[in-house]
Amino acid sequence: MAATQTPPGQCPQCWEHGHNPRIHRRLRPGEDCKPCVDHLVNGCPYLVPKKESRWW
């Protein structure tokens, strides 16, 4: 089951596509997901928040 919220430090689209099998169910065998390919080529378009530092 997919998490309801994206963890800190993760791209929302990468997280959703990696943990929600329903997104890729509609693809035929051997067919690539266009948003995933775009991420591989151009990187993440989101400003990903960093994890909160708890060192101090």
Side-chain angles (χ1 to χ4, degrees):
M1 176 140 235
T4 55
Q5 281 190 336
T6 305
Q10 298 289 325
C11 168
Q13 182 177 338
C14 293
W15 180 260
E16 185 68 22
H17 278 241
H19 293 88
N20 188 349
R22 291 181 291 164
I23 292 173
H24 295 119
R25 230 179 245 160
R26 62 180 168 75
L27 297 174
R28 290 173 285 197
E31 184 180 4
D32 291 326
C33 174
K34 290 182 183 181
C36 289
V37 171
D38 183 54
H39 256 55
L40 288 172
V41 174
N42 300 316
C44 295
Y46 298 100
L47 292 174
V48 179
K50 301 287 183 191
K51 292 181 182 179
E52 188 176 316
S53 176
R54 296 191 183 256
W55 176 255
W56 300 102

